[in-house]
């Protein structure tokens, strides 16, 4: 596609930053506010479309600190597109850059608590994500960390709602499970229920998160090298908590047991799961100064060259956070004990609240202001963007639905909500290994 013509005369395409099964992600330059943003593009002649659903879910979780800011959605002759906040690297890329391709316990826990929050927030608005995996979490850029309405946004953000599904009815009741459904998600992280063709529920997003934790801490999963999803399923079924959590703090076994106890209809105890992680954090003596692995590696590179004493203290820090692979797991644990500070549980709770305050309502005022700003912008350019392509044959009602949603998202139609959209949840499904 041409990179020279700005989308809607406003977003100039700079470079491609991501490619997924459903679309391409570009970094764009916003000529209006001189800021960079990200655009997800989906060809309108594709058979399987996911962007409409993605926009609907992203809109619904805009109140969450764990979502990317939705800026605009539109269509031109070739693409449906979504303009959103530009994020940093995804967690899969970051992990692969770590020594032995694994994260420390501290980093895994800090990210883990945020990931549980983000999953809870999606569930709260009635959707399952159904594709929880490291590349579907990305870091927020430092310049976007400033408070919005007094609330600090999270550092780790959940993305990609192309495989989401509404699990409640419009009355808020749980949808009854279908007898048999096809495989959904990404084979490496999919729950056994998904392999078995069962209807997924809230517990399944947490199963994927559990596999993600193991990969973060161990550097790989036991089925890492397998390509066929049937083979992956066989190996997954052999691994119980004993095999998976053997070398990990006992709380991971408790985590496993909790999600294993959940039935289709059960609501997971998100708070309890977060608590299990923060208990480990507390016990190992990590505190608010404990850095993410990528920050340590960066500082380490700077510091070691400058001063030997600083280098020594970095060695201690690295031992505590487990970013080096020169230490065995037990050596790391004993070093952590040696360095750990005795902090009180109450203090830790305070610290946890400070890091991960509860999601609060953003002020109505602000979103109204945003809506009216966007409304003005869309009115200026409406003529060019809303026409349907003569070259591409499309289903009329689908176009109408997308445009209806565009109007609502971009602030032109305030009477509507995404829940009234007729989105066929499973149309976008595909098997991704
Ligand atoms: N807002 C963003 N800012 C920066 N990078 C992003 C953004 N959104 C997505 N990306 C990058 O693009 C990659 C692919 O994005 P996404 O998962 O949304 O696409 P997808 O087509 O649904 O992918 P998949 O088929 O893997 O599920 C992400 O892993 C991330 O690295």
């Amino acid at each position: 596609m041409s990179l020279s013509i700005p989308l809607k005369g406003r977003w100039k395409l700079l470079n491609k930053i991501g490619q997924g099964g459903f679309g391409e992600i570009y970094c764009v330059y916003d000529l209006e506010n001189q800021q960079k943003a990200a655009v997800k593009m989906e060809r309108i002649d594709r058979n399987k479309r996911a962007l409409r659903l993605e926009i609907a879910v992203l809109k619904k979780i805009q109140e969450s600190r764990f979502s990317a800011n939705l800026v605009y959605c539109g269509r031109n002759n070739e693409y449906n597109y979504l303009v959103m906040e530009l994020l940093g690297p995804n967690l899969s890329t970051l992990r692969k850059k770590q020594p032995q391709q694994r994260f420390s316990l501290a980093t895994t826990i800090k990210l883990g608590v945020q990931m549980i929050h983000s999953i809870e927030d999606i569930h709260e608005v009635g959707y399952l994500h159904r594709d929880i995996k490291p590349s579907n979490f990305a870091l927020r850029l430092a310049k976007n960390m400033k408070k919005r309405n007094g609330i600090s946004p999270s550092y780790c953000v959940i993305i990609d709602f192309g495989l989401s599904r509404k699990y409640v009815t419009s009355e808020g009741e749980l949808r009854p499970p279908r007898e048999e459904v096809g495989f959904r998600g990404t084979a490496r992280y999919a729950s056994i229920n998904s392999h078995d063709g069962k209807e997924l529920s809230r517990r399944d997003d947490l199963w994927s998160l559990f596999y993600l934790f193991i990969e973060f801490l161990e550097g790989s999963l036991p089925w890492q090298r397998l390509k066929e999803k049937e083979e992956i399923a066989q190996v997954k079924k052999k691994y119980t908590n004993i095999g998976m959590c053997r070398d990990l703090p006992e709380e991971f076994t408790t985590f496993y047991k909790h999600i294993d106890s959940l039935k289709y209809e059960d609501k997971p105890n998100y708070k309890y799961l977060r608590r299990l992680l923060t208990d480990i954090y507390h016990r190992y003596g990590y505190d608010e100064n404990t850095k993410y692995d990528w920050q340590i590696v960066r500082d380490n590179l700077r510091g070691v060259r400058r001063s030997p004493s600083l280098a020594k203290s970095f060695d201690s820090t690295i031992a505590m956070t487990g970013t080096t692979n020169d230490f065995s797991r037990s050596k790391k644990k004993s070093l952590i004990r040696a360095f750990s500070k005795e902090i009180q549980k109450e203090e830790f709770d305070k610290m946890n609240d400070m890091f991960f305050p509860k999601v609060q309502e953003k002020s109505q005022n602000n979103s109204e202001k945003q809506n009216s700003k966007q409304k003005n912008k869309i009115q200026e350019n409406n003529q060019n963007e809303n026409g349907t392509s003569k070259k591409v044959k499309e289903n009329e009602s689908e176009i109408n639905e997308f445009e209806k949603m565009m109007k609502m998202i971009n602030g032109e139609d305030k009477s509507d909500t995404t829940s009234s959209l007729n989105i066929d949840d499973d149309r976008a499904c595909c098997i991704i290994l």
Side-chain angles (χ1 to χ4, degrees):
M1 68 171 294
S2 163
L3 295 185
S4 56
I5 309 162
L7 276 176
K8 207 171 168 58
R10 175 174 169 185
W11 291 283
K12 186 169 166 34
L13 270 71
L14 298 179
N15 55 300
K16 196 163 160 182
I17 47 175
Q19 168 78 60
F22 296 126
E24 295 163 352
I25 321 290
Y26 286 86
C27 176
V28 291
Y29 185 72
D30 187 340
L31 297 167
E32 205 169 286
N33 64 12
Q34 285 82 47
Q35 304 253 332
K36 284 184 181 172
V39 172
K40 190 165 184 176
M41 322 268 296
E42 178 189 69
R43 288 196 71 87
I44 53 179
D45 55 4
R46 268 182 63 106
N47 285 339
K48 285 178 177 159
R49 305 222 191 101
L51 200 64
R52 204 158 51 97
L53 171 63
E54 169 140 23
I55 295 167
V57 180
L58 187 58
K59 168 74 182 167
K60 283 215 160 239
I61 60 159
Q62 282 300 284
E63 297 294 317
S64 165
R65 301 193 306 113
F66 303 90
S67 71
N69 279 346
L70 192 167
V71 179
Y72 186 78
C73 70
R75 69 165 26 224
N76 60 24
N77 288 347
E78 280 182 89
Y79 292 93
N80 292 327
Y81 59 86
L82 156 67
V83 186
M84 58 185 151
E85 170 187 354
L86 179 68
L87 299 166
N90 71 52
L91 298 186
S92 170
T93 307
L94 273 172
R95 180 187 66 81
K96 287 177 189 155
K97 285 189 178 157
Q98 299 306 306
Q100 282 195 7
Q101 308 204 334
R102 61 184 176 211
F103 285 139
S104 66
L105 189 55
T107 292
T108 304
I109 292 174
K110 275 169 40 133
L111 294 171
V113 172
Q114 296 175 66
M115 289 189 273
I116 297 172
H117 270 297
S118 63
I119 293 172
E120 181 179 11
D121 286 353
I122 296 170
H123 293 176
E124 276 298 301
V125 296
Y127 282 87
L128 306 172
H129 187 281
R130 301 201 305 177
D131 198 17
I132 294 294
K133 59 181 175 181
S135 61
N136 282 340
F137 291 93
L139 297 187
R140 181 164 261 134
L141 299 175
K143 71 179 178 62
N144 295 330
M145 290 295 284
K146 51 187 175 294
K147 286 187 177 178
R148 296 179 301 189
N149 304 313
I151 306 160
S152 306
S154 72
Y155 188 32
C156 169
V157 172
I158 190 161
I159 55 173
D160 190 3
F161 308 101
L163 283 185
S164 302
R165 182 170 201 265
K166 204 151 193 266
Y167 69 95
V168 288
T169 62
S170 45
E171 284 78 42
E173 300 290 322
L174 194 71
R175 285 170 83 174
R178 292 166 294 178
E179 274 295 298
E180 215 179 296
V181 287
F183 176 84
R184 301 288 178 266
T186 300
R188 188 182 291 173
Y189 307 96
S191 67
I192 291 174
N193 292 324
S194 184
H195 287 285
D196 287 347
K198 291 192 183 144
E199 184 75 270
L200 302 184
S201 69
R202 288 170 282 191
R203 61 183 174 176
D204 298 287
D205 279 343
L206 291 166
W207 272 118
S208 301
L209 185 70
F210 177 78
Y211 296 142
L212 174 155
F213 285 160
I214 304 293
E215 187 180 51
F216 276 9
L217 292 165
E218 301 289 355
S220 66
L221 282 159
W223 46 87
Q224 198 88 358
R225 292 185 187 283
L226 302 177
K227 289 269 177 283
E228 294 302 320
K229 70 178 193 320
E230 290 74 22
E231 286 179 294
I232 293 175
Q234 273 180 11
V235 180
K236 260 180 207 166
K237 286 176 185 176
K238 279 194 201 135
Y239 273 86
T240 62
N241 61 317
I242 301 160
M244 304 275 274
C245 309
R246 197 175 37 223
D247 295 328
L248 303 178
E250 62 194 332
E251 285 83 355
F252 284 97
T253 302
T254 317
F255 193 112
Y256 179 106
K257 286 183 178 165
H258 176 69
I259 51 177
D260 199 32
S261 72
L262 297 171
K263 294 194 278 297
Y264 170 81
E265 62 276 12
D266 289 342
K267 179 177 177 179
N269 190 338
Y270 309 96
K271 201 171 170 193
Y272 171 66
L273 294 176
R274 282 192 294 270
R275 184 81 217 191
L276 289 173
L277 297 184
T278 52
D279 279 349
I280 307 173
Y281 204 83
H282 175 232
R283 204 173 61 256
Y284 278 66
Y286 301 130
D287 62 19
E288 68 270 39
N289 299 317
T290 306
K291 293 182 174 178
Y292 288 97
D293 294 343
W294 47 92
Q295 295 171 325
I296 294 170
V297 170
R298 197 180 52 209
D299 291 355
N300 201 3
L301 287 172
R302 282 192 204 126
V304 170
R305 284 191 206 109
R306 275 205 304 266
S307 118
S309 65
L310 200 58
K312 207 172 159 201
S313 85
F314 267 127
D315 284 346
S316 317
T317 320
I318 287 167
M320 276 183 71
T321 49
T323 41
T324 183
N325 302 301
D326 302 331
F327 299 107
S328 67
R329 190 174 281 274
S330 60
K331 168 99 174 159
K332 275 182 205 159
K333 280 187 182 170
S334 67
L335 281 165
I336 287 161
R337 267 194 291 276
F339 286 111
S340 70
K341 278 187 271 167
E342 273 305 310
I343 58 169
Q344 296 299 312
K345 216 169 178 64
E346 286 76 10
E347 281 177 357
F348 183 76
D349 284 346
K350 245 191 262 165
M351 186 189 87
N352 190 39
D353 286 348
M354 195 172 78
F355 272 132
F356 309 112
K358 292 213 168 57
V359 181
Q360 290 167 24
E361 295 280 306
K362 284 183 198 167
S363 88
Q364 193 71 25
N365 254 346
N366 206 46
S367 66
E368 269 172 22
K369 265 188 218 156
Q370 268 184 351
N371 282 347
S372 77
K373 210 174 157 194
Q374 281 172 350
K375 187 178 168 182
N376 293 339
K377 282 172 205 156
I378 196 169
Q379 276 167 351
E380 280 167 27
N381 298 293
N382 233 354
Q383 298 290 314
N384 305 332
E385 291 281 319
N386 283 348
T388 53
S389 165
K390 284 180 190 146
K391 294 173 204 152
V392 187
K393 283 186 185 167
E394 282 196 276
N395 178 318
E396 275 290 315
S397 71
E398 203 171 316
I399 296 171
N400 290 341
E401 276 178 30
F402 193 87
E403 290 184 349
K404 190 176 167 197
M405 183 161 77
M406 267 171 57
K407 281 186 184 167
M408 192 269 297
I409 301 274
N410 298 327
E412 287 193 318
D413 178 2
K414 291 201 175 110
S415 62
D416 202 357
T417 66
T418 40
S419 59
S420 67
L421 289 162
N422 174 24
I423 289 170
D424 177 355
D425 297 318
D426 274 345
R427 183 165 43 205
C429 297
C430 71
I431 297 166
I432 316 156
L433 283 172

